[in-house]
Amino acid sequence: MMHDVRIRYYTGASRNDSPDGVGMDEMPLMIGNEGFETDENEYLMRPRGTHGSQKKGLCYYLCDGWKDACSRFFGIGRSVFREIHLEEKKQRNSAFGQRHRCCDSCGERCRRKKEYKPRTVYLGRQNATDQTFPPNVVRNQKYNVFTFIPLVLFEQFQFFLNFYFLCLACSQFIPEVRVAYLYTYWIPLAFVITVTMVRECVDDVRRFRRDREVNSQKYTKLTSSGPIQIPSSQIKVGDLILLEKNQRVPADLVLLRTTERNGSVFIRTDQLDGETDWKLRLAVTPTQRLDSNAELLEYKCQLYSEKPQRDIHSFIGTFTSSENSTEDSLSIENTVWASTVIASGSAVGVVIYTGCETRSTMNTSRPKTKVGLLDEEVNTLTKLLFVMVAILALIMMILKGFGGSWYQYMFRFIALFSAIIPISLRVNLDMGKVCYSWMVMQDKNIPDTVTRSTTIPEELGRISYLLSDKTGTLTQNDMVFKRLHLGTVSFTAETMDEVMQHLSAAYSTPKESSSVTSKAAPKVRRTVVTRVQQAIKAIALCHNVTPVYEDSDPDEIDLDQPEADQQIDRHVTYQASSPDEVALVTWTESVGLVLNRRDLNSMTLRTPSNQLIKYQILQIFPFTSETKRMGIIVKEEDTGEITFYMKGADVVMQSIVQYNDWLDEECGNMAREGLRTLVVAKKSLTEEQYQDFENRYHQAKMSIQERSAKVAAVIESLERDMELLCLTGVEDKLQEGVRPSLELLRNAGIKIWMLTGDKLETATCIAKSSRLVSRSQDIHVFKAISNRSEAHLELNAFRRKSDCALIIMGESLEICLQFYEHEFMELACQCPAVVVCRCSPTQKADIVKLLKTHTRKRTCSIGDGGNDVSMIQMADVGIGIVGKEGKQASLAADFSITQFSYLTRLLLVHGRNSYKRSASLSQFVIHRGLIITTMQAVFSAVFYFASVPLFPGFLTVGYSTVFTMFPVFSLVLDKDVSSDIAMTYPELYKDMTKGRSLNYKTFFMWVLISMFQGGVIMYGAFLLFEADFIHIVAITFTSLIITELLMVALTIRTWHYLMILAEFLSLGIYVASLAVFRAFFDTDFLETWDFVWKVLVITSVSCIPLYILKYLRRRFSPPSYSKLF
């Protein structure tokens, strides 16, 4: 909403700071009807880095940081400290000056980040340089042998509850303030810490075993004594590593030799950038020419590589050969990064980066200990309980009087009332989390689901934002050809047999000999058979696909043999940089036109009649995100015909092809069906036309100035008046149940963001086909921007849209966040869905962090590739999918599932139940401590404010453990609705995000209940008091135990047989203890009717009013879920 105010000018940067040289004070943020308006203040318009001061570490303040801190706090000018600093310089020769320099040096070492440097690598020689490099190990552990105990204790005592009891337990070593035996405080605290340490130890041992499995994988290293097998952890910079097909790359390498003659090899990068397309990589030319791999060890050369960095799409280096004194440049196409996979053949590479310096590791954040929101809320409530303890102790001291050693009595009262903060709360919650995790893994509706972190199952019930990867998460990475449209006729999967018939008829007709003339043939109306043939031939030729034969080498086939002898049984796989192209070529094979072989200069097609047609590749114009099209010029060897084929997105091809009246409409129809469309066109060229183009193209490529623009202009001169052949529709198959799952999550109030490294067109298509963006919803595509002024204008355009999905490129997002972080996040969070494409792994994690910071809501990230690990670890809940992209995301996640549709049950059923159960459990444990504290306070007040305990220490410990532990803990089995109802009505999940099950309202309600019941039990016992104090202990403690058991029954919403067993088991244990502890209970009095009726009266008065209130509440103000029964 815009306010009627004038724009506040951006004063944080000068006019020269703007990328365009235009000051932002000359540019409006929002243009209204009456002038320039804004709803941003000056703070929000500062660049991202100036929003807050950087946090200073301990070393900063121990060294020179105290000067800056004091100058800000006391207002002392910097000139004063400059004089102090000069005075300190004069004392450098003194002993104090030497110690000061030592402190400065240590501080610098602590504060500075690791500095990366470029390196020179010699083939096969690790010790040829003085530089030291990190070991090539993968380490996801949080602790080691030395840091385990200190870090676990530090993390646990960060919780106020544990820290409070630590101080309280230590205070009992002082005789003046001791109120009970030491075991009363130390045994519960030790038990809590031990349980936590065992859980953390088990989790970290699992991480260690997973890391050891990766680090122990064997690889072949080339040495002077021959190939040897070494584990991944022993690979060093300079090693020559032999990689086989389908083998994971263990470190960052530069390719030296491949099994292909031209030095090419295909790799899969889905674990790195999320893209399933195979990438083409090339070996270094001088080493590729060598006869064998063994010659690499004798080859005198050196390789210079840039310093390690995060960018996975660029590399700068040089390869210098000492034998022939040549120097070749190295780029990204000569490298294979760690975590990628060799897709074809085998290759030899030299290691240039290892361990933490590899691209994949630098794009992965370190795992952090995740603390659930419920734990934070419980921690806040314990602080509030401590305040109540302090106030209650202070009131007692005021009533008692501040005489003598009053502070000792103050501490004794605090220790007496310490039960109000139950140490067993942490134990119950942690054990409850273990139970929830076990229930998740035992759910038969989501088989093979694994809980890898048992600390945050309740977070599954509080999710507001779901951030999902696309490739392998929402989709199956499986492209399927669905439709071919020729303008007047359309072919679908059901009518592909007609396409096969048309194609067979076209190639069975004898072809008339023709020669290329200087004039094009006159246009005639073609039949459907001819149009089908031309369209399929264009699809079979216009691509960058290479067939790979696994059973035999096509080079061994003599093409001069009879055609029947060439049809040997061999399996072929297609390699390409795009899965769309593989789907298209696979489809042409299924209808009869097969890509038989291809190299850099030619390709061969096999027709339905087993004829081989050879084509010479004259030019290739690859697909780019800017041009959104690719083209190829081929020459048929038999006829000499030269044809220019092109395919691309409809938005660019409409202006290139000849006029038609059906393309725009059919593209819209296919897009609504979720199909990825490609427009295919051709243009016949004469020999003279091609020679003229080739001359101009060569001149443009040789230009020094504006080479790219000139090359593009020459190509565009050929892209005119092209003949439209067909429109294709390819479907990226979605994971099973993706559409209904996304619908359920939206109805549950969860906003979904899709973060992908794929292209904008692909991301848009998947967003539509998966129903992430509904059919009736508008889509705003954020234009590509490069500076602040463009971001400023585009944000204004975006602000005018309402209720529309946002699609934005990763680079544009980075610029928006640099200058308009707050405004962009505010607008994006209002969108029903957001899609971020061309998103790097680091950007994914940054987006999650921004959402957590700006919305204060709980986030969940889900992915299946190594590029999703940072996002998964940054989110409040990380979920990994075990799929085609491996288990890297699954192993780093908090929860592991096998398909996306399982997420709905994980959130709507298990997440909801876990949160509500933990909320009930924590409130009841707090109630259990409040009621006994109320009784202690009443007892002390009645007996002249004496700071003595009401019950012996073993009864107090037993009250929180064996006497009430089983019924209270049985609340982890409680549920308000069945799983079927929770899945049918996802709207029930919305209440969870509001946190109504555990808030200040419910907390103070339980405080009132505890005060009422504790007061009733104590005053009831006083009223029925007879002759001996021991009778009061028996009556009050028995009434307390029975009251707790009845309150558990009052809280339960759905009974389980284990709950009933726990109630009777606890009651039986208490009855048996009455016979054992005869020193504290009068057994003769316990067997009298007098004891029984007094306990029944007290218990009835404390519980029956609450049962009546519960009935009235359900009768007149029922909860939302009760309406579903």
Side-chain angles (χ1 to χ4, degrees):
M1 181 182 296
M2 296 182 299
H3 305 290
D4 295 331
V5 295
R6 290 291 176 181
I7 184 167
R8 296 187 179 101
Y9 295 121
Y10 178 79
T11 60
S14 65
R15 187 172 301 191
N16 295 329
D17 292 335
S18 176
D20 295 339
V22 179
M24 288 306 298
D25 50 1
E26 298 179 3
M27 190 175 299
L29 182 64
M30 193 66 188
I31 301 176
N33 296 328
E34 299 180 359
F36 298 151
E37 300 176 353
T38 182
D39 61 353
E40 268 193 351
N41 56 27
E42 183 179 352
Y43 169 80
L44 299 177
M45 293 184 65
R46 294 176 185 169
R48 183 178 177 182
T50 62
H51 279 189
S53 59
Q54 186 179 4
K55 292 182 179 179
K56 306 296 192 300
L58 179 61
C59 295
Y60 174 83
Y61 290 106
L62 289 178
C63 300
D64 289 339
W66 62 272
K67 305 172 187 176
D68 188 39
C70 292
S71 65
R72 289 200 202 97
F73 189 80
F74 294 106
I76 302 176
R78 293 186 179 272
S79 59
V80 177
F81 285 99
R82 190 178 299 113
E83 294 177 5
I84 297 176
H85 186 66
L86 292 174
E87 185 66 24
E88 289 175 348
K89 282 186 176 181
K90 296 178 182 179
Q91 302 175 0
R92 293 292 185 180
N93 295 327
S94 64
F96 174 78
Q98 293 177 359
R99 289 195 298 269
H100 184 72
R101 287 198 302 271
C102 180
C103 181
D104 285 344
S105 176
C106 294
E108 283 296 322
R109 289 181 178 271
C110 293
R111 291 196 299 269
R112 72 184 181 188
K113 295 183 179 180
K114 181 178 180 180
E115 183 179 355
Y116 296 107
K117 297 181 180 179
R119 62 200 59 188
T120 301
V121 179
Y122 299 86
L123 300 193
R125 292 175 289 171
Q126 297 91 12
N127 299 325
T129 177
D130 296 334
Q131 289 181 267
T132 57
F133 306 109
N136 191 53
V137 294
V138 175
R139 190 178 188 279
N140 291 311
Q141 293 173 257
K142 293 167 56 179
Y143 316 102
N144 58 37
V145 176
F146 302 103
T147 63
F148 175 72
I149 293 179
L151 288 180
V152 172
L153 292 178
F154 175 75
E155 291 174 358
Q156 288 306 305
F157 289 120
Q158 279 183 320
F159 288 102
F160 178 79
L161 178 65
N162 294 343
F163 181 73
Y164 168 75
F165 265 92
L166 176 65
C167 297
L168 192 64
C170 291
S171 69
Q172 296 306 293
F173 285 108
I174 304 174
E176 289 78 6
V177 297
R178 182 184 299 171
V179 294
Y181 293 107
L182 291 176
Y183 70 82
T184 307
Y185 296 94
W186 279 103
I187 289 181
L189 179 62
F191 179 73
V192 170
I193 301 302
T194 302
V195 169
T196 303
M197 294 182 71
V198 170
R199 186 191 65 204
E200 288 291 326
C201 180
V202 171
D203 289 344
D204 216 47
V205 167
R206 290 175 180 172
R207 297 189 194 98
F208 168 75
R209 290 176 178 175
R210 295 196 296 265
D211 293 343
R212 185 176 60 183
E213 180 182 352
V214 175
N215 294 327
S216 61
Q217 290 182 357
K218 299 293 184 180
Y219 290 89
T220 302
K221 174 183 174 182
L222 301 182
T223 64
S224 56
S225 57
I228 60 173
Q229 293 286 321
I230 62 172
S232 174
S233 57
Q234 294 183 11
I235 294 176
K236 300 178 181 179
V237 173
D239 285 349
L240 299 179
I241 304 298
L242 175 63
L243 298 171
E244 302 293 343
K245 182 180 179 181
N246 294 326
Q247 194 171 24
R248 184 185 70 88
V249 180
D252 290 352
L253 311 176
V254 169
L255 282 176
L256 299 178
R257 296 190 78 248
T258 70
T259 52
E260 296 292 330
R261 295 176 183 176
N262 57 4
S264 64
V265 68
F266 280 94
I267 63 172
R268 296 197 301 267
T269 62
D270 43 25
Q271 290 288 328
L272 190 64
D273 57 14
E275 297 186 19
T276 55
D277 351 356
W278 290 9
K279 307 295 191 305
L280 179 66
R281 293 294 184 262
L282 300 174
V284 180
T285 303
T287 53
Q288 178 63 28
R289 294 171 181 167
L290 299 178
D291 296 331
S292 65
N293 294 334
E295 296 184 18
L296 290 171
L297 297 168
E298 305 298 331
Y299 195 75
K300 296 181 180 179
C301 61
Q302 62 184 27
L303 187 149
Y304 171 83
S305 60
E306 63 180 351
K307 65 179 182 180
Q309 58 180 350
R310 287 185 173 184
D311 190 357
I312 61 177
H313 299 295
S314 68
F315 174 74
I316 299 175
T318 58
F319 183 87
T320 305
S321 175
S322 302
E323 295 186 354
N324 50 16
S325 300
T326 60
E327 186 177 39
D328 296 317
S329 63
L330 301 178
S331 64
I332 184 65
E333 65 180 9
N334 303 116
T335 63
V336 284
W337 301 138
S339 298
T340 59
V341 177
I342 301 297
S344 65
S346 61
V348 177
V350 58
V351 178
I352 55 174
Y353 305 122
T354 55
C356 61
E357 293 182 345
T358 60
R359 293 295 205 268
S360 60
T361 304
M362 295 184 73
N363 279 280
T364 303
S365 58
R366 295 292 301 167
K368 298 179 180 179
T369 302
K370 296 182 179 181
V371 179
L373 181 60
L374 184 130
D375 291 325
E376 295 176 357
E377 293 170 344
V378 169
N379 197 44
T380 302
L381 293 180
T382 55
K383 295 176 182 178
L384 186 58
L385 289 172
F386 174 74
V387 173
M388 295 173 63
V389 169
I391 293 175
L392 187 58
L394 182 61
I395 292 175
M396 288 295 178
M397 284 306 305
I398 293 174
L399 297 176
K400 180 182 179 63
F402 292 91
S405 301
W406 62 270
Y407 52 87
Q408 295 182 7
Y409 292 105
M410 182 75 174
F411 275 106
R412 287 176 63 87
F413 277 122
I414 290 177
L416 280 176
F417 300 148
S418 63
I420 200 174
I421 309 176
I423 186 64
S424 60
L425 179 59
R426 294 293 310 171
V427 178
N428 281 275
L429 287 178
D430 289 344
M431 296 303 294
K433 293 174 181 180
V434 174
C435 289
Y436 308 147
S437 302
W438 181 82
M439 292 176 186
V440 168
M441 292 188 288
Q442 297 300 312
D443 192 343
K444 296 181 180 179
N445 293 308
I446 48 175
D448 300 323
T449 299
V450 180
T451 303
R452 303 194 185 279
S453 175
T454 58
T455 58
I456 53 172
E458 305 95 344
E459 294 295 277
L460 293 169
R462 310 288 295 274
I463 302 301
S464 298
Y465 287 90
L466 174 66
L467 299 101
S468 172
D469 179 41
K470 178 191 72 69
T471 308
T473 304
L474 299 178
T475 66
Q476 297 182 16
N477 299 346
D478 189 7
M479 302 291 180
V480 179
F481 188 91
K482 284 292 185 180
R483 181 167 298 182
L484 176 69
H485 203 291
L486 302 179
T488 58
V489 61
S490 177
F491 299 98
T492 61
E494 293 77 16
T495 58
M496 286 303 167
D497 53 343
E498 298 181 16
V499 176
M500 297 175 63
Q501 294 174 4
H502 294 324
L503 192 65
S504 299
Y507 281 101
S508 62
T509 303
K511 196 169 185 180
E512 299 179 1
S513 59
S514 61
S515 59
V516 180
T517 61
S518 59
K519 296 183 180 179
K523 296 181 180 180
V524 294
R525 187 173 182 84
R526 295 171 299 172
T527 63
V528 175
V529 174
T530 306
R531 294 167 62 190
V532 168
Q533 179 205 13
Q534 293 294 327
I536 297 177
K537 184 169 71 171
I539 296 172
L541 290 173
C542 188
H543 54 72
N544 268 314
V545 180
T546 302
V548 176
Y549 295 87
E550 298 181 357
D551 299 330
S552 62
D553 188 354
D555 292 334
E556 299 174 358
I557 302 173
D558 186 2
L559 297 179
D560 295 331
Q561 291 180 353
E563 296 170 358
D565 297 338
Q566 299 172 10
Q567 304 307 310
I568 60 177
D569 184 18
R570 60 188 188 275
H571 180 68
V572 61
T573 56
Y574 295 111
Q575 301 173 0
S577 60
S578 170
D580 300 67
E581 292 194 328
V582 174
L584 292 173
V585 175
T586 304
W587 174 76
T588 62
E589 178 188 14
S590 67
V591 296
L593 193 59
V594 183
L595 177 63
N596 189 68
R597 59 180 292 171
R598 177 180 180 153
D599 54 33
L600 294 178
N601 302 313
S602 65
M603 72 173 72
T604 304
L605 300 182
R606 189 174 70 245
T607 67
S609 57
N610 287 334
Q611 296 177 352
L612 295 178
I613 305 177
K614 302 175 185 178
Y615 293 89
Q616 181 183 355
I617 301 175
L618 302 179
Q619 300 289 347
I620 293 181
F621 314 115
F623 180 92
T624 63
S625 57
E626 291 79 19
T627 61
K628 299 180 181 179
R629 58 188 181 272
M630 73 88 58
I632 186 172
I633 301 178
V634 296
K635 180 179 182 179
E636 187 175 348
E637 292 187 358
D638 294 340
T639 62
E641 294 179 354
I642 300 176
T643 309
F644 173 38
Y645 293 104
M646 176 171 284
K647 66 181 180 185
D650 58 289
V651 292
V652 296
M653 294 295 290
Q654 283 181 349
S655 59
I656 294 176
V657 299
Q658 298 171 353
Y659 172 77
N660 61 87
D661 57 357
W662 60 271
L663 181 60
D664 185 52
E665 180 181 356
E666 291 303 326
C667 286
N669 293 337
M670 290 190 185
R672 282 186 287 272
E673 295 178 15
L675 301 181
R676 301 166 68 165
T677 58
L678 280 176
V679 180
V680 183
K682 78 165 189 174
K683 185 176 186 179
S684 298
L685 301 176
T686 63
E687 190 71 35
E688 293 78 8
Q689 288 175 334
Y690 174 71
Q691 288 298 331
D692 176 65
F693 166 78
E694 186 180 29
N695 294 333
R696 292 185 289 115
Y697 188 61
H698 179 72
Q699 292 177 2
K701 289 196 297 182
M702 297 302 294
S703 300
I704 303 299
Q705 302 292 334
E706 300 180 352
R707 176 185 299 178
S708 300
K710 292 180 179 179
V711 169
V714 173
I715 297 176
E716 288 178 2
S717 67
L718 201 62
E719 300 171 345
R720 295 174 182 173
D721 198 29
M722 298 190 68
E723 179 185 351
L724 176 60
L725 295 179
C726 64
L727 175 67
T728 63
V730 177
E731 179 187 27
D732 189 356
K733 295 180 65 176
L734 298 174
Q735 291 275 4
E736 182 180 355
V738 163
R739 290 173 181 169
S741 298
L742 293 178
E743 185 69 23
L744 282 174
L745 294 174
R746 273 199 301 268
N747 292 337
I750 300 175
K751 291 189 175 182
I752 306 169
W753 289 32
M754 185 173 76
L755 313 180
T756 177
D758 221 328
K759 299 184 289 291
L760 185 144
E761 295 80 8
T762 305
T764 304
C765 185
I766 295 301
K768 293 179 180 178
S769 62
S770 63
R771 302 292 187 268
L772 176 63
V773 178
S774 61
R775 295 183 178 181
S776 59
Q777 220 165 47
D778 293 331
I779 297 179
H780 177 78
V781 180
F782 205 92
K783 296 180 181 178
I785 56 176
S786 58
N787 51 56
R788 185 180 177 193
S789 59
E790 293 179 358
H792 179 88
L793 297 175
E794 189 61 25
L795 277 175
N796 281 342
F798 178 40
R799 168 172 277 175
R800 297 186 183 95
K801 301 292 183 68
S802 60
D803 192 32
C804 65
L806 172 65
I807 300 179
I808 185 172
M809 299 278 286
E811 295 179 356
S812 301
L813 175 66
E814 192 71 24
I815 295 173
C816 287
L817 296 179
Q818 181 180 358
F819 299 107
Y820 299 106
E821 177 181 306
H822 177 79
E823 184 187 27
F824 176 81
M825 293 303 299
E826 181 181 1
L827 294 173
C829 291
Q830 295 174 1
C831 295
V834 176
V835 177
V836 183
C837 51
R838 288 298 181 190
C839 191
S840 68
T842 307
Q843 278 183 323
K844 291 183 178 182
D846 290 341
I847 292 171
V848 177
K849 185 177 181 180
L850 283 170
L851 271 177
K852 293 168 60 177
T853 303
H854 283 267
T855 65
R856 303 292 181 183
K857 302 291 182 65
R858 311 316 279 178
T859 59
C860 173
S861 295
I862 180 170
D864 70 321
N867 62 312
D868 303 318
V869 170
S870 297
M871 172 180 71
I872 287 173
Q873 293 178 341
M874 181 59 68
D876 297 300
V877 179
I879 300 177
I881 296 181
V882 180
K884 294 182 179 179
E885 296 191 15
K887 295 184 178 181
Q888 190 170 355
S890 169
L891 296 176
D894 303 308
F895 299 89
S896 172
I897 58 179
T898 54
Q899 53 181 292
F900 183 85
S901 59
Y902 292 171
L903 178 64
T904 55
R905 187 173 182 86
L906 193 63
L907 297 183
L908 303 185
V909 176
H910 292 285
R912 185 175 183 275
N913 288 340
S914 298
Y915 169 60
K916 292 187 75 70
R917 288 165 176 170
S918 289
S920 298
L921 182 62
S922 58
Q923 288 173 335
F924 205 89
V925 172
I926 291 175
H927 159 73
R928 189 172 61 184
L930 280 167
I931 188 173
I932 195 172
T933 302
T934 302
M935 295 171 64
Q936 177 67 55
V938 172
F939 172 79
S940 297
V942 170
F943 286 91
Y944 307 102
F945 305 101
S947 57
V948 294
L950 171 60
F951 302 118
F954 78 91
L955 285 182
T956 305
V957 175
Y959 166 71
S960 301
T961 54
V962 294
F963 295 151
T964 60
M965 177 178 63
F966 299 112
V968 172
F969 189 71
S970 68
L971 291 174
V972 299
L973 302 173
D974 190 23
K975 57 182 179 181
D976 54 353
V977 296
S978 65
S979 58
D980 293 335
I981 292 179
M983 292 293 292
T984 306
Y985 300 96
E987 292 78 9
L988 294 173
Y989 188 86
K990 293 181 180 180
D991 292 337
M992 303 300 101
T993 59
K994 300 175 182 177
R996 293 178 177 175
S997 297
L998 180 64
N999 53 26
Y1000 289 116
K1001 178 182 177 181
T1002 58
F1003 170 74
F1004 285 111
M1005 183 180 69
W1006 278 100
V1007 169
L1008 294 176
I1009 292 174
S1010 303
M1011 293 174 62
F1012 166 75
Q1013 291 183 325
V1016 167
I1017 292 174
M1018 283 306 299
Y1019 283 111
F1022 288 143
L1023 291 174
L1024 302 175
F1025 178 85
E1026 287 189 352
D1028 203 347
F1029 176 75
I1030 195 173
H1031 291 169
I1032 289 187
V1033 174
I1035 293 173
T1036 54
F1037 196 76
T1038 304
S1039 300
L1040 177 63
I1041 297 298
I1042 297 177
T1043 298
E1044 284 299 300
L1045 298 181
L1046 292 177
M1047 285 300 296
V1048 171
L1050 177 66
T1051 305
I1052 292 174
R1053 288 158 294 198
T1054 303
W1055 281 90
H1056 191 278
Y1057 75 93
L1058 290 178
M1059 296 177 175
I1060 301 175
L1061 180 63
E1063 291 272 347
F1064 285 102
L1065 178 62
S1066 296
L1067 185 61
I1069 292 175
Y1070 177 66
V1071 172
S1073 67
L1074 295 178
V1076 175
F1077 301 111
R1078 297 193 176 189
F1080 300 95
F1081 298 102
D1082 185 357
T1083 54
D1084 295 332
F1085 175 72
L1086 296 179
E1087 296 173 356
T1088 63
W1089 177 250
D1090 196 30
F1091 168 76
V1092 174
W1093 77 263
K1094 290 178 180 178
V1095 169
L1096 290 177
V1097 169
I1098 294 174
T1099 306
S1100 300
V1101 174
S1102 66
C1103 292
I1104 290 179
L1106 298 178
Y1107 273 87
I1108 295 175
L1109 290 175
K1110 180 180 179 181
Y1111 170 77
L1112 294 176
R1113 184 181 179 185
R1114 288 196 173 186
R1115 179 69 176 83
F1116 297 103
S1117 180
S1120 58
Y1121 63 84
S1122 64
K1123 303 174 184 178
L1124 304 176
F1125 295 102

